[in-house]
Amino acid sequence: MAGTDDIRMRFDHVSIAVKSIDRAYDFFSKYFPITLRSPKTMDEQVSGSFYWQDFHLGGFVVELIEDPAGKPGFVTRFIEKQGEGMHHLSIEVDNIEALTSKLKAGGVRVVDEQQYDSGSATAFISPRSSFGTLIQFWHVPDWSQLHPKPAPDGKANFDHVSIAVKDIDAAYSFFRTYFPGTKIEHEPHVSNSEGNFRLGHLEVAEFKLEFIQSPPNRTANDFVGKFIERYGEGMHHISIDLKDFDETRERLKRDGVRVVDEKLNWRGERQYFISPQSAFGVLIQVWDGLN
């Protein structure tokens, strides 16, 4: 058995819990350049039966999940408690046994472990142990068998998933301890734009995770603190660089989709957010980053 430092990891997708996969897929396909990866499929895991469908967006995969009609399960329970929105992050690994053993030895809560006849296996880190974020590991028997990806089209780049936490330094320590190969992209620092939050970036399993925290000094616009007070720690937003920045913004507004916080950052880069009220519980940050 390989040591835990030798475990290979690669991010696969972020999963969104929705009431209707069809409606959510229509929304993303209307406003973003996406490519279907897998059609709507029924699956069965320890947590129960559910439908899933996923698609490529800017080099990353987004999964949509829903419960079967008339059969409320874990997706419905999540939505009843949290509302529609980001449900979990999924990471492929080549040695789930060694990884889960290390997690358990460190007191990390591992749940919903399951093995399949194909040699695949899955396990989750409880959000109680990982800053409000449910993290799935999926064991890949043949690591060399990659999922095919569409060629880059220059239209979009999925930059990161952002996680709101009470203590960035503790989050950094956790991911660097249990996720082999984690690298610091940006040390934690106070935002240069408004100074109303602290942020930092890690490269985890070949993907960027952003961590945001309340600023060290009190501020009236402590949006991270307000988010945690309402929802607890957890995934806050996704960030996408979009070539058709202006065209998409105007189309969103014409269609009555709520666009908020249009602004420039300290480097003069433009951004806006699609409100979670209009995007199935997901706050979407859009950058003018591909011109």
Side-chain angles (χ1 to χ4, degrees):
M1 180 182 294
T4 53
D5 289 341
D6 299 321
I7 296 171
R8 290 175 291 184
M9 293 184 168
R10 57 188 176 221
F11 246 105
D12 188 65
H13 64 261
V14 57
S15 185
I16 304 172
V18 297
K19 296 176 182 177
S20 169
I21 286 176
D22 295 339
R23 290 182 57 245
Y25 184 79
D26 286 347
F27 172 85
F28 279 96
S29 62
K30 183 174 184 178
Y31 298 111
F32 296 98
I34 70 173
T35 304
L36 180 69
R37 182 170 81 161
S38 302
K40 189 174 178 179
T41 303
M42 171 75 81
D43 204 350
E44 179 76 34
Q45 292 188 10
V46 172
S47 49
S49 300
F50 66 103
Y51 282 109
W52 62 274
Q53 178 173 315
D54 58 16
F55 56 87
H56 290 277
L57 169 57
F60 192 58
V61 177
V62 176
E63 178 188 70
L64 305 171
I65 57 174
E66 72 173 25
D67 279 331
K71 297 181 179 179
F74 74 92
V75 179
T76 299
R77 291 192 294 272
F78 175 87
I79 292 173
E80 287 176 347
K81 183 179 180 180
Q82 297 281 105
E84 292 180 295
M86 288 184 281
H87 183 268
H88 67 267
L89 300 174
S90 184
I91 300 173
E92 294 184 334
V93 300
D94 69 346
N95 192 335
I96 198 169
E97 182 180 353
L99 177 60
T100 54
S101 294
K102 180 175 182 178
L103 289 164
K104 292 174 183 177
V108 177
R109 189 163 183 254
V110 177
V111 297
D112 289 352
E113 297 179 75
Q114 186 169 350
Q115 295 184 337
Y116 301 90
D117 293 339
S118 63
S120 299
T122 187
F124 290 78
I125 299 179
S126 167
R128 298 179 188 176
S129 293
S130 49
F131 307 90
T133 303
L134 180 64
I135 301 174
Q136 179 188 37
F137 294 111
W138 188 267
H139 177 78
V140 180
D142 182 1
W143 187 256
S144 64
Q145 188 173 357
L146 295 171
H147 299 295
K149 288 185 177 182
D153 57 14
K155 296 179 180 179
N157 172 59
F158 193 116
D159 190 71
H160 65 260
V161 172
S162 185
I163 301 174
V165 299
K166 296 177 182 178
D167 185 341
I168 286 181
D169 299 308
Y172 268 42
S173 177
F174 175 83
F175 279 91
R176 297 184 74 191
T177 298
Y178 295 110
F179 293 71
T182 292
K183 301 174 184 177
I184 297 176
E185 283 201 1
H186 296 103
E187 293 282 0
H189 59 280
V190 175
S191 165
N192 291 311
S193 296
E194 298 182 55
N196 62 328
F197 67 104
R198 191 172 178 233
L199 77 156
H201 297 114
L202 291 180
E203 181 186 301
V204 180
E206 305 174 357
F207 180 71
K208 185 196 296 185
L209 289 181
E210 177 180 81
F211 298 88
I212 55 176
Q213 175 192 327
S214 294
N217 300 314
R218 280 183 168 273
T219 176
N221 188 22
D222 179 8
F223 69 93
V224 180
K226 292 175 182 176
F227 177 88
I228 292 175
E229 183 179 352
R230 182 173 182 182
Y231 300 105
E233 294 180 292
M235 289 182 280
H236 183 269
H237 67 266
I238 63 175
S239 184
I240 299 169
D241 303 315
L242 197 61
K243 183 172 181 60
D244 291 337
F245 179 89
D246 292 304
E247 296 87 343
T248 300
R249 179 188 56 194
E250 296 312 309
R251 190 163 68 252
L252 288 162
K253 290 181 177 181
R254 284 197 305 269
D255 292 344
V257 176
R258 190 161 181 251
V259 174
V260 297
D261 289 346
E262 298 180 59
K263 62 179 68 172
L264 296 174
N265 70 6
W266 65 281
R267 291 187 295 267
E269 298 164 331
R270 298 189 300 159
Q271 64 171 309
Y272 57 83
F273 287 82
I274 301 174
S275 167
Q277 296 174 13
S278 296
F280 302 89
V282 181
L283 179 62
I284 304 174
Q285 182 183 39
V286 181
W287 287 99
D288 183 16
L290 291 175
N291 293 323

